[in-house]
Amino acid sequence: MKKIIWFLLIVTGIQVGVFSYYNHLLVRGANGPAAAAVSYQTGGSNGDPVKLFDGQTEQVALSDSKNLAAYVDEQNTLHVKDVTNNKEVYALSNEGKIDYITWIQDNGLLLGISKGRGSNKKLIVKTAMLSTNNVRTIRTIGPVSSTSTFKKMTFSPFTNDIYILVGNKKISKLYHVGTSGDFTMVDISSYYIDDVLMASTKNELFFEDVKQSIPYLHSRNEKGTHRIEKNAVPLRAINDTLYYGKLDAAGNVTSVYTYEQGTSNKIIDLNQPVKPDRLLVKEDGTLLRVGDANYVDLKTNKETTIAEEGQASIKNNVLFKSSPSGTTLINL
């Protein structure tokens, strides 16, 4: 019983620390425009498809509880919808072009925003906190090249470390926001970094860098950098376990492995090669091969048809369909 009480106290302390840290960090930024007031109750979802809006988007993210879905509409307005009752609980506009969104647990979002054109283009990292209704600027990066954008944002909810990957098809830069709020560029590779992920409970970064069209998968922690695999790409980090795909000469995934504490284990050989962006790793480790209008459980070979219009897409480990007639979450 004492162990359970101590565990609950520790978890509560960590969660309070996370939000105290972000509030401290964001005080240094400027207030953004007023956003819609927030009032919602979280609850379970039955997993049915949820139509987000009558339009098309490439930016979708689900909160940790899976109760809140964020998306960016065609007018670059950020929306948050409670998927348990299909009601909008937050909206934010006039921030610029929102290139990337990811959740900070259930309380707010990290935003990657681009402003300006040509030699005046800048990339801005902001947060939108739902509970306090505040929008803050963490850092402005730039000027940058006209083709540069936010490629990925990843963070650990337990250590508060944030990694931000920006760049274009030729050049990339990786930035780190530490627990003290320091914002620094990270020099971890002489190659082109294409993707980054983080473990949940420790400051361990997984990253894919590319040299002469060959991807190399690495992990990095306080002990240094370790190569995990050549010709491999990260798929998802669940808790402290990395799921990654081994590639063939054409760049398709032929097998999937897990990596944790320095050890790789193969979990499946695929019956047919699959492009990395057509593989979804669910939170329970289930692997799905996603087609335009269906998905297949790679363990059971069960096929599920997706009836909604448009082509199925995966973003932030979320499966959705988007077309000019509407955007629908498929698999919550």
Side-chain angles (χ1 to χ4, degrees):
M1 185 65 181
K2 290 183 178 180
K3 291 183 177 180
I4 295 174
I5 293 173
W6 275 110
F7 173 78
L8 293 173
L9 289 172
I10 292 170
V11 169
T12 302
I14 289 171
Q15 291 177 333
V16 171
V18 168
F19 297 124
S20 296
Y21 160 71
Y22 279 111
N23 288 335
H24 170 74
L25 173 63
L26 300 178
V27 163
R28 300 181 303 173
N31 279 320
V38 178
S39 176
Y40 63 87
Q41 294 180 343
T42 58
S45 172
N46 58 13
D48 291 337
V50 175
K51 188 167 186 179
L52 294 179
F53 75 112
D54 294 325
Q56 195 164 10
T57 186
E58 296 180 354
Q59 301 295 333
V60 177
L62 273 177
S63 66
D64 285 2
S65 69
K66 305 296 186 292
N67 292 324
L68 301 174
Y71 66 92
V72 179
D73 68 16
E74 292 140 322
Q75 287 73 45
N76 276 305
T77 296
L78 171 70
H79 301 265
V80 176
K81 179 170 284 191
D82 185 336
V83 298
T84 65
N85 56 27
N86 208 23
K87 292 183 179 179
E88 182 166 291
V89 298
Y90 184 86
L92 177 66
S93 59
N94 301 319
E95 285 294 322
K97 185 177 183 297
I98 302 175
D99 295 325
Y100 199 90
I101 57 174
T102 190
W103 280 91
I104 305 170
Q105 295 184 328
D106 277 7
N107 190 49
L109 290 137
L110 276 169
L111 309 178
I113 298 169
S114 60
K115 285 189 176 182
R117 295 181 179 181
S119 60
N120 293 321
K121 183 175 182 179
K122 296 180 180 180
L123 302 178
I124 305 169
V125 183
K126 292 191 176 186
T127 59
M129 307 304 289
L130 276 65
S131 60
T132 59
N133 202 27
N134 285 331
V135 179
R136 305 284 188 178
T137 298
I138 295 179
R139 181 59 62 98
T140 298
I141 304 169
V144 298
S145 70
S146 61
T147 56
S148 290
T149 187
F150 289 90
K151 294 171 64 66
K152 192 70 173 286
M153 292 184 180
T154 185
F155 81 106
S156 166
F158 282 80
T159 70
N160 304 325
D161 290 280
I162 302 171
Y163 287 91
I164 299 165
L165 181 64
V166 303
N168 50 33
K169 293 182 178 180
K170 295 182 179 180
I171 301 173
S172 64
K173 292 183 179 180
L174 182 64
Y175 296 92
H176 173 245
V177 184
T179 55
S180 62
D182 55 308
F183 192 102
T184 58
M185 190 169 72
V186 184
D187 185 14
I188 58 174
S189 173
S190 60
Y191 304 163
Y192 169 82
I193 300 176
D194 198 41
D195 198 1
V196 290
L197 293 172
M198 273 205 77
S200 294
T201 67
K202 52 188 176 181
N203 185 8
E204 182 174 15
L205 179 72
F206 307 111
F207 66 96
E208 173 200 347
D209 56 359
V210 182
K211 182 180 182 181
Q212 296 178 347
S213 301
I214 300 174
Y216 296 84
L217 183 60
H218 293 84
S219 68
R220 178 182 183 269
N221 56 26
E222 67 279 359
K223 297 179 180 179
T225 300
H226 169 72
R227 179 183 291 183
I228 299 173
E229 189 82 61
K230 179 181 178 182
N231 284 317
V233 293
L235 298 174
R236 184 174 185 178
I238 301 175
N239 298 322
D240 293 335
T241 301
L242 172 69
Y243 286 76
Y244 71 89
K246 181 68 176 173
L247 303 177
D248 61 15
N252 295 318
V253 176
T254 57
S255 54
V256 176
Y257 290 72
T258 58
Y259 174 85
E260 187 174 8
Q261 297 182 347
T263 302
S264 293
N265 291 292
K266 183 189 290 187
I267 60 173
I268 191 172
D269 286 315
L270 305 187
N271 293 330
Q272 62 186 71
V274 181
K275 291 185 180 299
D277 63 359
R278 306 311 290 172
L279 277 176
L280 172 64
V281 183
K282 296 181 64 176
E283 198 162 349
D284 62 359
T286 300
L287 289 167
L288 302 181
R289 183 181 72 242
V290 178
D292 290 345
N294 69 343
Y295 60 87
V296 178
D297 186 316
L298 293 180
K299 184 177 181 180
T300 64
N301 288 321
K302 179 182 177 181
E303 181 177 337
T304 302
T305 300
I306 304 173
E308 281 72 14
E309 294 183 15
Q311 178 178 320
S313 300
I314 301 168
K315 185 77 173 184
N316 293 316
N317 306 308
V318 178
L319 178 59
F320 64 99
K321 260 198 168 186
S322 188
S323 71
S325 63
T327 296
T328 302
L329 287 179
I330 303 300
N331 191 46
L332 303 180

